[in-house]
Amino acid sequence: MSIKLVVFGLIGYDSIETPMGKRDRVLGGAASYFSTVASYFTKVGLVSVVGKDFEEKYVDFLKNHDVDLTGFERSSEGYTFSWVGTYGEDFGDATTHKNALNVFEHFNPVLPEKYKNAELLFIANIHPALQIQIINQAKNPKIIALDTMNLWINTTRDELLKAIKKVDILFVNESEAKLLAQEKKFAHAVSRLLELGPKRIVVKLGELGAMMGTKETRFFVPAFPSLDVTDPTGAGDSFAGGFMGSLAKFGDYSEKGFRKSMLYGSAMGSLTVENFSVETYEKLDPKRIEERYQALKNMVTI
Amino acid sequence: MSIKLVVFGLIGYDSIETPMGKRDRVLGGAASYFSTVASYFTKVGLVSVVGKDFEEKYVDFLKNHDVDLTGFERSSEGYTFSWVGTYGEDFGDATTHKNALNVFEHFNPVLPEKYKNAELLFIANIHPALQIQIINQAKNPKIIALDTMNLWINTTRDELLKAIKKVDILFVNESEAKLLAQEKKFAHAVSRLLELGPKRIVVKLGELGAMMGTKETRFFVPAFPSLDVTDPTGAGDSFAGGFMGSLAKFGDYSEKGFRKSMLYGSAMGSLTVENFSVETYEKLDPKRIEERYQALKNMVTI
């Protein structure tokens, strides 16, 4: 099966505490969530690196999800990326206690030959120089999507703007949208971001859902109103995984197709946060994806 | 023409400064916005009071909009309600410099005989004791909607809960929803509010739009992504005016009907904020309402 969707991003260990419990050194990183989630829709190729301390069981987890690991490096030197964070009672932004890039600090990402013709590329949140490096290796992808965060907006703005200019879709959250656009009003921020290059901006709105904007239109998808949030980590990357995965699966790049993908994104984000790490996907009945998609669709239909 | 929709709330003077300019003692108060906006959909009856300093030109404005003034008292003693506020660059919450209830402080609101059989009742933000007083005078209204604010949630919680128990729809903004529900998470807050009595909760989300929740569903409507915001005052009351006005006009109290009303609410909110006070409605081509409704509908359709 050829690789239709490729993700480049962090794979590593998360140690997480939320009001619902805690986990120590479980599978984390944007690319873990993205590839796991997208695997329910399409064949995903993964470009990432881990260190000598990375446990085999997590490699098996990805293999069991039929994630293609040609681009997945296991360094015999150095340690795996590791994040330690705590969420407060409102499950808002996490407090980060540790964020060690480790083997990712000197990573020279290479897009394997079999990934170069992938139709869709998701460049997860990482230093924009690395993002550009991967984008430049791709041959005529139809859709490149990129995620970023406040850190890069603040510290590597010029490089980030170069990366953004190369992509079709930009994923940000509300505060990042305003910070990057240097606009205090939401509508102005979205308009400004659309002048930076991408044809679409997807703004993640946390517990409210997400918005997709183009020059001509806006589309809102609600967050599924689940009362069973256990761990918000990975919600945004799972959203992206459902969004890009369903685009790859259905191949409909019309406005309607993108709107369907917004619903799949929201569906997957809500499934992820029901459990810690990627535990939801240890045994997920795929029927639940369609059920949640339909429930969300009913929430936007007039 | 019989009165199908009645609003009870403040009418008064607003002195407003925004980054776009300023106005001194212009028509303001929730019921001004609500009745003006709703007049584009149905015949509205107004219960309110103003003082001896209230200018005739503003009475004429309401008359020109065919607002029924049977329940509108003009006191020969005391002064009109008056609010002075400033908005910052993000057009977020206003800073209030003065908020003088004046004649409203000792107002004994009476529902005129010809309003008692109105099908729809909108109880704008005011002390819950007054809200209850009006609700108790209505005869079998089909839909009572109520708005409130942080002040009453904090200072008159028990009375407010009694008022809320009597209504079908509760209008709040996001922070009020969480404060009233005593929940830090949005989904939990909406669920909790639905246990207080109302069958529907409409949460105004400012520049993001609004959400309507029932026990079974959620529906989001975007704010129209206008770049021409001049004065956000009255956005929420205009939303309510479009929402309740269109419900009265079409008489469709199904979920679908309520969703249409959410779009009309958002449309009217966005028209109001293009100008100071109710200036948008000094000469509004009603075609713009349908255009904006359609534009918003396109933003939620899959």
Side-chain angles (χ1 to χ4, degrees):
Chain A
M1 195 176 172
S2 74
I3 306 293
K4 204 167 176 191
L5 170 61
V6 167
V7 53
F8 167 54
L10 294 167
I11 298 270
Y13 285 128
D14 280 354
S15 296
I16 308 158
E17 188 164 355
T18 83
M20 304 298 283
K22 59 191 288 185
R23 289 292 185 280
D24 194 41
R25 287 172 75 79
V26 288
L27 187 59
S32 295
Y33 287 103
F34 184 97
S35 59
T36 302
V37 165
S39 74
Y40 288 83
F41 299 89
T42 191
K43 181 84 179 172
V44 197
L46 170 65
V47 178
S48 193
V49 62
V50 293
K52 58 187 174 185
D53 57 336
F54 196 69
E55 289 170 85
E56 201 60 33
K57 67 176 177 185
Y58 293 134
V59 180
D60 290 342
F61 177 86
L62 295 171
K63 278 185 187 158
N64 289 341
H65 279 83
D66 205 25
V67 175
D68 185 284
L69 299 179
T70 312
F72 179 63
E73 270 184 52
R74 301 178 72 179
S75 170
S76 57
E77 289 163 41
Y79 292 94
T80 302
F81 159 69
S82 166
W83 178 78
V84 180
T86 308
Y87 291 89
E89 267 186 47
D90 63 352
F91 285 86
D93 291 339
T95 303
T96 291
H97 306 294
K98 177 184 154 187
N99 193 43
L101 284 176
N102 295 333
V103 285
F104 244 92
E105 268 185 87
H106 304 287
F107 186 41
N108 178 31
V110 174
L111 201 59
E113 211 49 50
K114 72 183 281 202
Y115 291 7
K116 287 194 175 166
N117 290 300
E119 232 175 271
L120 299 110
L121 207 56
F122 181 71
I123 314 290
N125 166 44
I126 192 82
H127 193 295
L130 293 182
Q131 295 184 313
I132 290 172
Q133 200 175 325
I134 282 291
I135 291 170
N136 286 344
Q137 295 174 59
K139 292 181 184 161
N140 289 316
K142 284 198 182 155
I143 293 171
I144 308 177
L146 180 140
D147 193 11
T148 189
M149 71 183 291
N150 286 1
L151 173 67
W152 313 118
I153 300 171
N154 285 322
T155 61
T156 59
R157 187 176 183 85
D158 290 348
E159 263 173 304
L160 177 59
L161 289 175
K162 276 180 204 155
I164 288 172
K165 213 176 167 107
K166 293 173 180 283
V167 308
D168 305 283
I169 307 175
L170 175 66
F171 283 81
V172 278
N173 67 30
E174 191 184 352
S175 67
E176 289 158 2
K178 290 177 178 176
L179 184 68
L180 180 58
Q182 299 177 315
E183 294 280 358
K184 290 187 174 178
K185 284 181 279 185
F186 186 69
H188 286 72
V190 175
S191 287
R192 179 77 194 98
L193 294 181
L194 286 163
E195 293 167 2
L196 300 181
K199 290 182 283 294
R200 285 175 193 278
I201 311 294
V202 175
V203 186
K204 295 166 283 181
L205 302 168
E207 56 182 352
L208 297 179
M211 194 236 42
M212 175 172 66
T214 68
K215 281 213 165 63
E216 294 78 29
T217 185
R218 298 287 186 277
F219 178 70
F220 274 75
V221 59
F224 186 78
S226 171
L227 302 182
D228 302 319
V229 177
T230 298
D231 171 17
T233 313
D237 300 310
S238 301
F239 186 101
F243 183 96
M244 297 294 283
S246 60
L247 275 180
K249 177 176 178 179
F250 301 113
D252 178 1
Y253 304 144
S254 70
E255 175 66 22
K256 185 186 165 95
F258 281 108
R259 289 180 175 196
K260 271 185 73 171
S261 288
M262 287 288 283
L263 293 175
Y264 277 111
S266 182
M268 301 313 288
S270 74
L271 289 171
T272 293
V273 301
E274 288 182 358
N275 296 286
F276 279 99
S277 178
V278 290
E279 290 171 17
T280 292
Y281 306 101
E282 286 171 7
K283 44 173 188 199
L284 176 74
D285 183 346
K287 268 189 212 154
R288 289 195 67 206
I289 298 176
E290 287 309 311
E291 280 167 15
R292 198 146 287 193
Y293 170 84
Q294 201 53 53
L296 286 163
K297 191 173 174 189
N298 290 342
M299 290 183 200
V300 297
T301 305
I302 295 213
Chain B
M1 195 174 173
S2 75
I3 306 293
K4 204 167 175 190
L5 171 60
V6 166
V7 53
F8 166 55
L10 293 166
I11 298 269
Y13 285 128
D14 280 354
S15 296
I16 309 159
E17 188 164 356
T18 84
M20 304 297 284
K22 59 192 288 185
R23 290 290 186 279
D24 195 40
R25 287 173 75 80
V26 289
L27 186 59
S32 295
Y33 287 102
F34 184 98
S35 59
T36 301
V37 165
S39 74
Y40 288 84
F41 298 90
T42 192
K43 181 84 178 172
V44 198
L46 170 65
V47 179
S48 192
V49 62
V50 293
K52 58 188 174 185
D53 57 336
F54 196 68
E55 288 170 84
E56 201 59 34
K57 66 177 177 184
Y58 293 134
V59 180
D60 290 342
F61 178 86
L62 295 172
K63 279 185 186 160
N64 289 340
H65 279 84
D66 206 23
V67 175
D68 185 285
L69 300 179
T70 312
F72 178 63
E73 271 184 52
R74 301 179 69 178
S75 170
S76 57
E77 289 163 40
Y79 292 93
T80 301
F81 159 69
S82 166
W83 178 77
V84 180
T86 308
Y87 291 89
E89 267 187 46
D90 63 352
F91 285 86
D93 290 339
T95 304
T96 292
H97 306 293
K98 178 184 154 186
N99 194 42
L101 285 175
N102 295 334
V103 284
F104 244 91
E105 268 186 86
H106 305 286
F107 186 40
N108 179 30
V110 174
L111 201 59
E113 210 51 50
K114 72 183 281 201
Y115 291 6
K116 287 193 174 167
N117 290 299
E119 232 176 89
L120 299 110
L121 207 56
F122 181 71
I123 314 291
N125 166 45
I126 191 81
H127 194 296
L130 293 181
Q131 294 183 314
I132 290 172
Q133 199 175 326
I134 282 292
I135 292 170
N136 286 345
Q137 294 174 58
K139 292 180 185 160
N140 290 316
K142 284 198 182 154
I143 294 171
I144 309 177
L146 180 139
D147 192 12
T148 188
M149 70 183 292
N150 286 2
L151 173 67
W152 313 118
I153 299 171
N154 284 321
T155 61
T156 60
R157 187 177 183 84
D158 289 348
E159 263 174 305
L160 177 59
L161 289 176
K162 275 180 204 155
I164 288 172
K165 214 178 166 111
K166 292 173 180 284
V167 309
D168 305 283
I169 307 176
L170 175 66
F171 283 82
V172 279
N173 66 31
E174 192 184 352
S175 66
E176 289 157 2
K178 290 177 177 175
L179 183 69
L180 180 57
Q182 298 176 315
E183 292 281 357
K184 290 187 174 178
K185 284 181 279 186
F186 186 68
H188 286 72
V190 175
S191 286
R192 179 77 194 97
L193 294 181
L194 286 163
E195 293 168 1
L196 301 181
K199 288 182 285 293
R200 285 177 192 276
I201 311 295
V202 175
V203 186
K204 296 167 282 182
L205 302 168
E207 55 181 352
L208 297 179
M211 194 236 44
M212 175 173 68
T214 69
K215 280 212 166 64
E216 294 79 28
T217 185
R218 298 286 186 276
F219 178 71
F220 273 75
V221 60
F224 186 78
S226 172
L227 302 182
D228 303 319
V229 176
T230 298
D231 171 18
T233 314
D237 299 310
S238 301
F239 187 101
F243 183 96
M244 297 293 283
S246 60
L247 275 181
K249 178 176 177 179
F250 300 113
D252 177 1
Y253 304 143
S254 69
E255 175 66 22
K256 185 186 165 95
F258 280 109
R259 289 181 174 196
K260 272 184 71 171
S261 288
M262 287 286 285
L263 293 174
Y264 277 111
S266 182
M268 302 313 287
S270 74
L271 289 171
T272 294
V273 301
E274 287 181 359
N275 296 286
F276 280 99
S277 179
V278 290
E279 289 170 18
T280 292
Y281 306 101
E282 285 171 6
K283 44 174 187 200
L284 176 75
D285 183 347
K287 269 189 210 153
R288 290 196 66 205
I289 298 175
E290 288 308 312
E291 280 167 14
R292 198 146 286 193
Y293 170 85
Q294 201 53 52
L296 286 163
K297 190 172 174 190
N298 291 341
M299 290 183 200
V300 296
T301 305
I302 295 208

